[in-house]
Amino acid sequence: MTIIETISEMQHYADHWRQQGKTIGFVPTMGYLHEGHLSLMRLAKTRADVLVVSIYVNPTQFGANEDLDTYPRDLARDQRLLESVECDVLFLPNDAIMYPPEYRTYVTVEELTENLCGTSRPRHFRGVTTIVTKLFHCVKPHVAVFGQKDAQQALIIKRMTADLNMDVEIIIGEIVREADGVAMSSRNVYLSPAEREDARVLSQSLQKAQEAIAQGERSTATLIEMIRTMIAQKPTTTIDYVSIVETKTLHDVAQIEGEVLIALAVFVGKTRLIDNALIRV
Ligand code: PAF
């Protein structure tokens, strides 16, 4: 695996592969990799000749009181995991090259960034769309893979690439869960044993809602109340939001029909976790 730390070298490699007729698959990450990331990388490898993974903890997507400084980092471990999936290039930019002092440009997607995580993290998606655009200009991928766990992010990236005519195909990989149902996340490492136990309620409540839908429940108010009640029973949890939205617009819906997303964000202790379930009836 080649490690590249400069933009010009990354672009040079990308141009070289493109001239050779090779397709580039890309998985952007913030590191502290887990099986969820690795599944996205394996998916990218099925769709491209060369796999590039970036690790960059992007400061512009963190709010002032969020965990930028404490975000988990372990580059040596990440490199071993990347070798295990036969990653070709690890792109490792830093703040100085990504956001030099004179930096002034941001990419924003409207409306889709306002609901769900956009409400409690107002500038988060502006940071995500900006860094993903910049990374795309460095890596020049043919396909890029994002995870369904960040369902709103995935939709926003798809919207952005379509709206800005970016010549890259966006593929969405499924949520990968621990044996007890907890969605894999780099932030799970923050959880104390008691919090880790309580974190199971996110996927359990989504499961319970899906069972109710399978039995005919269609009122989203009833389903949201059911989920909120289950989560609130766990002592370490504080709900940020529980929403049921239309998958294309992310607008709240009153009834389950067609395709909807049940999305939730919950603080478990101080750690904010998200999870979701895609429903088709
Ligand atoms: O999903 C993430 O890990 C980040 O939001 C991303 C896409 C790598 C941008 O920093």
Side-chain angles (χ1 to χ4, degrees), residues 57-219:
V57 182
N58 171 39
T60 64
Q61 69 188 77
F62 287 79
N65 300 319
E66 294 182 352
D67 56 344
L68 173 62
D69 294 339
T70 55
Y71 196 82
R73 292 163 169 89
D74 188 342
L75 187 57
R77 178 175 160 277
D78 285 349
Q79 285 186 37
R80 286 196 297 278
L81 289 170
L82 290 171
E83 300 277 7
S84 78
V85 293
E86 297 178 357
C87 172
D88 296 289
V89 166
L90 167 57
F91 181 43
L92 267 183
N94 61 41
D95 292 346
I97 64 169
M98 279 308 190
Y99 299 107
E102 66 277 17
Y103 191 86
R104 292 294 179 274
T105 305
Y106 291 90
V107 179
T108 53
V109 172
E110 304 204 340
E111 284 186 33
L112 299 177
T113 51
E114 286 164 17
N115 197 1
L116 307 180
C117 291
T119 308
S120 47
R121 306 187 75 192
R123 285 152 76 95
H124 169 68
F125 290 114
R126 169 188 186 258
V128 171
T129 44
T130 299
I131 196 64
V132 169
T133 301
K134 286 168 69 63
L135 290 168
F136 282 178
H137 284 118
C138 300
V139 176
K140 307 188 185 190
H142 296 82
V143 298
V145 186
F146 294 81
Q148 173 64 18
K149 186 172 83 69
D150 297 295
Q152 186 174 16
Q153 168 174 281
L155 180 72
I156 289 167
I157 299 289
K158 278 192 163 182
R159 187 71 268 141
M160 175 187 79
T161 53
D163 288 353
L164 297 182
N165 313 107
M166 293 182 180
D167 191 13
V168 53
E169 183 187 356
I170 305 301
I171 301 172
I172 309 303
E174 285 177 9
I175 299 176
V176 179
R177 298 182 180 281
E178 304 281 359
D180 62 359
V182 172
M184 290 200 180
S185 164
S186 304
R187 290 187 168 101
N188 289 349
V189 72
Y190 296 143
L191 302 170
S192 70
E195 291 165 354
R196 178 64 184 73
E197 183 85 7
D198 284 357
R200 295 184 306 167
V201 77
L202 276 75
S203 58
Q204 287 169 347
S205 63
L206 287 169
Q207 185 63 40
K208 188 93 189 224
Q210 287 176 88
E211 285 163 18
I213 293 166
Q215 284 159 19
E217 182 58 65
R218 292 291 178 268
S219 158

